[in-house]
């Protein structure tokens, strides 16, 4: 029994997971516009990627469990025991990430179908950059689900100074290292790194943020999985998560190296960590980004300008301004303002003649 068994009457794990997903979606929706992506892209992406991420997480866990010697039925795979739904106990994060990547590929082809105009299309790398930045946020929160389940722990902690939650957790009467907590801290730092790379003043080529995610998360996960003692999935004598972590690191490095090689061969500048004020087509692939060509419904904050009102001065028969009629360029309702608050307008030649004639007529009477 774990020290948090009293929480078992409520599915805290599911609530925490749902909270992580929700905050990730909201964050991605708000951040996408900074890269010229419409918020609806994020909603469409979630509809495709989230179910595949859950399926991928389940398949990953079950497959490596079977490799390890355990047998599974299809009903158990779907979360049923003895005809009753008991939940999907056993979801592997790497399987979820792979499922999300597959979803991003599908979304890329769907979003780039021929019927859509060019400026409505979105590349796989643009999806991956924003998606994995906020997947990291979801991971920070979701790891606390292990806290309520009393899982994801390491070796026994013998030093009384470290026998307290959350840096360690009590399992079957023993204090053990809370590796879920250390991974949550690692992801917390990583999230702000990715957030700066995505939203900060210095920009990089599409796919760079995703590459950094692969490298950063792969390093942390490889270290953390190496000290885990429960629910370890293996391929032979090697831990599956450590192997996949290494593959993620290699993939991230490869993405960056390919960009450097392509830039060198093309004679263009490296589009890595460049001040956005200096960006132009001299940087490799800049012209393909949404920074250069935002989606049609996007207006960057710096480009938002209040419409300037047009003003019409109404002059009476004696040539004196009696009212200023103001209309917004965007077609807002007209406003009548006192003449003393009106913008100054040079008197036209016709106004002067009319005023002089009215003045002479008055004295002629």
């Amino acid at each position: 029994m774990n020290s948090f068994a009293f929480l078992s009457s409520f599915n805290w794990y599911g609530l925490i997971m749902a909270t992580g997903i929700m905050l990730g979606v909201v964050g991605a929706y708000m951040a996408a516009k900074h890269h010229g992506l419409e918020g609806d892209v994020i909603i469409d992406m979630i509809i495709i990627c989230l179910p595949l991420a859950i399926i991928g997480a389940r398949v990953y866990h079950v497959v490596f469990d079977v490799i390890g010697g355990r047998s599974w039925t299809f009903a158990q795979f779907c979360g049923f025991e003895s005809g009753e739904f008991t939940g999907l106990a056993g979801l592997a994060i790497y399987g979820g990430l792979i499922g999300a990547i597959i979803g991003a590929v599908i979304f890329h082809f769907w979003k780039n179908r021929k019927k859509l105009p060019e400026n409505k299309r979105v590349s796989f790398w643009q999806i991956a950059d924003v998606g994995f930045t906020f997947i990291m946020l979801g991971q920070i929160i979701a790891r606390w689900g292990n806290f309520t389940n009393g899982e994801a722990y390491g070796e026994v902690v013998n030093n009384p100074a470290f026998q307290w939650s959350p840096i360690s957790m009590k399992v079957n009467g023993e204090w053990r290292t809370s590796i879920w907590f250390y991974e949550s801290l690692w992801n917390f730092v990583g999230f702000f790194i990715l957030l700066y790379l995505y939203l900060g003043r210095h920009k990089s080529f599409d796919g760079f943020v995703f590459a950094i995610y692969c490298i950063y998360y792969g390093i942390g996960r490889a270290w953390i999985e190496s000290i885990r003692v429960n629910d370890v999935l293996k391929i032979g004598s090697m831990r599956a998560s450590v192997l996949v972590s290494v593959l993620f690191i290699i993939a991230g490095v490869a993405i960056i190296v390919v960009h450097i090689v392509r830039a060198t061969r093309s004679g263009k500048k490296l589009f890595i960590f460049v001040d956005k004020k200096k960006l132009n087509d001299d940087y490799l692939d800049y012209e393909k980004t949404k920074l250069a060509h935002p989606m049609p419904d996007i207006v960057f904050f710096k480009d938002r300008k209040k419409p300037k009102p047009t003003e019409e001065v109404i002059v009476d028969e004696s040539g004196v301004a009696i009212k200023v009629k103001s209309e917004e360029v965007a077609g807002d309702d007209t406003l009548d303002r006192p003449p003393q608050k009106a913008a100054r307008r040079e008197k036209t030649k016709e106004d002067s003649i009319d005023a002089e004639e009215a003045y002479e007529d008055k004295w002629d009477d």
Side-chain angles (χ1 to χ4, degrees):
M1 295 294 292
N2 65 70
S3 57
F4 302 99
F6 68 92
L7 297 173
S8 60
S9 60
F10 183 80
N11 188 2
W12 290 98
Y13 185 83
L15 176 62
I16 292 171
M17 289 282 288
T19 301
I21 292 171
M22 180 185 67
L23 292 178
V25 172
V26 172
Y29 184 92
M30 296 174 65
K33 293 185 178 181
H34 287 267
H35 264 245
L37 292 170
E38 295 171 352
D40 290 347
V41 169
I42 302 302
I43 303 303
D44 294 340
M45 179 180 72
I46 292 299
I47 292 173
I48 295 175
C49 293
L50 182 57
L52 289 174
I54 295 172
I55 294 171
R58 187 62 166 173
V59 169
Y60 184 101
H61 176 85
V62 172
V63 166
F64 284 106
D65 223 15
V66 170
I67 292 174
R70 182 183 171 183
S71 60
W72 282 76
T73 65
F74 182 73
Q76 289 175 327
F77 174 84
C78 296
F80 290 90
E81 288 285 351
S82 302
E84 294 184 4
F85 183 73
T86 57
L88 299 176
L91 295 172
I93 183 60
Y94 266 133
L97 298 179
I98 294 170
I101 292 172
I102 293 172
V105 172
I106 294 172
F107 180 76
H108 163 78
F109 286 107
W110 174 74
K111 197 66 178 175
N112 295 337
R113 59 193 187 277
K114 293 182 179 179
K115 293 182 181 179
L116 284 177
E118 188 67 28
N119 57 4
K120 282 282 188 179
R121 300 184 180 189
V122 183
S123 74
F124 166 81
W125 300 114
Q126 291 162 1
I127 299 165
D129 280 348
V130 64
F132 279 82
T133 296
F134 289 92
I135 280 176
M136 185 73 89
L137 173 61
Q139 288 176 290
I140 297 169
I141 299 167
R143 269 305 175 190
W144 285 81
N146 300 130
F147 172 78
T148 61
N149 281 2
E151 60 189 8
Y153 52 83
E155 299 292 341
V156 175
V157 178
N158 294 315
N159 188 340
F162 298 102
Q163 292 179 349
W164 54 277
S165 181
I167 66 169
S168 62
M169 58 195 303
K170 210 166 188 179
V171 181
N172 297 324
E174 294 181 312
W175 285 97
R176 291 184 173 271
T177 306
S178 300
I179 64 170
W180 62 266
F181 177 67
Y182 296 113
E183 182 175 334
S184 184
L185 285 180
W186 178 263
N187 292 344
F188 180 80
V189 176
F191 170 67
F192 284 98
I193 293 173
L194 296 178
L195 194 65
Y196 175 74
L197 292 176
Y198 191 74
L199 297 180
R201 189 179 72 181
H202 294 84
K203 305 296 183 182
S204 302
F205 65 91
D206 289 341
F208 179 77
V209 177
F210 172 67
I212 296 300
Y213 172 92
C214 291
I215 296 169
Y216 182 89
Y217 183 71
I219 291 172
R221 184 67 185 227
W223 162 64
I224 288 166
E225 283 296 321
S226 66
I227 61 175
R228 183 171 181 165
V229 299
N230 76 307
D231 295 331
V232 177
L233 302 174
K234 292 186 176 182
I235 303 176
S237 59
M238 188 172 186
R239 298 184 178 218
S241 290
V242 174
L243 174 61
V244 177
S245 295
V246 173
L247 295 177
F248 263 60
I249 295 169
I250 293 172
V253 172
I255 291 170
I256 296 173
V257 169
V258 167
H259 177 81
I260 294 172
V261 171
R262 288 180 59 236
T264 302
R265 290 179 176 177
S266 66
K268 289 198 170 187
K269 298 178 182 178
L270 288 177
F271 184 14
I272 298 177
F273 212 59
V274 181
D275 190 324
K276 62 182 180 182
K277 293 181 180 179
K278 299 178 180 178
L279 284 172
N280 54 52
D281 290 345
D282 292 338
Y283 292 92
L284 181 66
D285 291 339
Y286 168 68
E287 71 281 358
K288 298 179 181 179
T289 68
K290 293 299 180 185
L291 291 169
H293 305 288
M295 300 186 83
D297 294 340
I298 294 297
V299 178
F300 289 123
F301 181 80
K302 64 182 178 61
D303 296 327
R304 295 176 187 170
K305 297 180 180 178
K306 294 182 179 179
K308 295 181 179 179
T310 58
E311 296 180 342
E312 179 184 355
V313 179
I314 299 176
V315 183
D316 66 6
E317 58 183 12
S318 63
V320 178
I322 60 172
K323 186 187 291 184
V324 176
K325 190 177 181 182
S326 176
E327 294 183 355
E328 297 292 337
V329 173
D332 293 339
D333 294 337
T334 59
L335 300 173
D336 289 335
R337 298 188 300 176
Q340 62 270 24
K341 294 183 180 180
R344 291 184 178 179
R345 185 176 76 97
E346 291 185 6
K347 214 171 191 180
T348 64
K349 185 176 181 180
E350 290 75 14
D351 291 339
S352 299
I353 295 172
D354 291 342
E356 290 175 3
E357 290 177 353
Y359 180 81
E360 292 172 357
D361 289 344
K362 180 179 179 182
W363 284 101
D364 288 342
D365 293 338

